[in-house]
């Protein structure tokens, strides 16, 4: 279920509200329903008295938003199942999954916010857009390593937090504009810093993949 509400007042202030609820069959019965909202607010300052009289300024807008996004588990991560293998003659072969399922998994949740400013000048011949953002993903569903003496090599858990933050700058301009032809130029530059804030309790490094002498890892305090 998704809803969207938008409100504008005198071409100056705009408010948008969203909400979504998901039901997922890959989560356990007590956690399969999860809700996540969002809100954004913007002010068009060039609609105010004084600023709208500046001939060389076409637009000046401030904006900010906050949002949450949910995510469910992979299939068969909560209930034990058998994997069907290639038949041996007339015999059907099945094996136990090497990753232990978890009947208490919760949905993942990403919380993010952003602030920005947008401006254009000289009848929109030149424009700039700046944004700063931060997003944190929590309760991530991870297959962490366990002792093979338990009969499995990994188990599904909720754990860990990953943070992304950075800023983005966009520049636009109309280099040439005639009656029959127009040339627009756009330039975009951004920087993102990614950090593994935490993993599962007692785990400082998560092995994602390995082959020969090369491995991919998620390590606390390092980029993912």
């Amino acid at each position: 279920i998704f809803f969207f509400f938008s409100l504008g007042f005198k071409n100056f202030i705009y408010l948008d509200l969203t909400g979504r609820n998901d039901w997922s069959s890959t989560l356990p019965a007590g956690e399969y329903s999860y809700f996540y909202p969002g809100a954004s607010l913007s002010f068009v300052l060039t609609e105010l008295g004084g600023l709208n009289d500046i001939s060389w300024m076409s637009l000046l807008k401030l904006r900010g938003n906050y949002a949450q996004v949910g995510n469910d588990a992979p299939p068969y991560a909560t209930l034990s199942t058998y994997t069907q293998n290639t038949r041996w003659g007339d015999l059907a072969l099945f094996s136990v999954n090497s990753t232990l399922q978890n009947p208490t998994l919760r949905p993942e949740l990403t919380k993010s916010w952003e602030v920005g400013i947008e401006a254009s000048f000289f009848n929109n011949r030149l424009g700039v857009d700046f944004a700063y953002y931060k997003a944190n993903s929590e309760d991530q569903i991870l297959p962490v390593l366990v002792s093979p003496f338990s009969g499995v090599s990994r188990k599904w858990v909720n754990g860990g937090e990953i943070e992304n933050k950075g800023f983005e700058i966009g520049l636009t301009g109309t280099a040439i504009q005639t009656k029959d032809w127009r040339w627009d130029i756009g330039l975009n530059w951004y920087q993102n810093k990614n950090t593994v804030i935490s993993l599962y309790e007692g785990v400082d490094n998560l092995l994602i993949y390995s082959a020969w002498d090369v491995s991919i890892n998620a390590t606390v305090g390092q980029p993912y």
Side-chain angles (χ1 to χ4, degrees), residues 37 59 163 180 186 198 200:
L59 174 70
E163 179 181 88
D180 302 317
S198 64
Y200 185 62

Side-chain angles (χ1 to χ4, degrees), residues 105-211:
L105 287 179
R106 303 182 303 275
E108 300 178 356
L109 187 65
T110 298
K111 303 175 182 179
S112 64
W113 58 265
E114 178 185 311
V115 292
I117 182 171
E118 182 180 349
S120 60
F121 311 95
F122 311 115
N123 291 323
N124 297 314
R125 292 288 297 269
L126 178 65
V128 60
D129 193 330
F130 174 83
Y132 179 82
Y133 64 90
K134 181 181 177 183
N136 290 73
S137 298
E138 304 171 349
D139 277 343
Q140 296 178 100
I141 299 175
L142 308 170
V144 298
L145 291 172
V146 297
S147 171
F149 292 103
S150 64
V152 295
S153 58
R154 294 175 181 264
K155 67 176 181 179
W156 289 107
V157 299
N158 282 106
E161 178 182 357
I162 289 184
E163 179 181 88
N164 285 277
K165 61 182 178 180
F167 55 89
E168 184 174 4
I169 300 175
L171 298 175
T172 59
T174 303
I176 300 175
Q177 182 172 352
T178 66
K179 181 180 178 181
D180 302 317
W181 193 69
R182 172 172 170 162
W183 179 22
D184 291 330
I185 300 174
L187 176 66
N188 182 271
W189 185 83
Y190 77 96
Q191 183 180 51
N192 180 75
K193 182 180 180 181
N194 175 282
T195 306
V196 178
I197 304 298
S198 64
L199 294 169
Y200 185 62
E201 183 179 357
V203 177
D204 294 326
N205 184 81
L206 178 64
L207 178 65
I208 307 298
Y209 177 79
S210 65

Side-chain angles (χ1 to χ4, degrees), residues 84-99:
Q84 184 176 6
N85 300 310
T86 304
R87 297 176 64 90
W88 179 263
D90 295 332
L91 300 178
L93 300 181
F94 294 84
S95 62
V96 177
N97 199 311
S98 61
T99 302

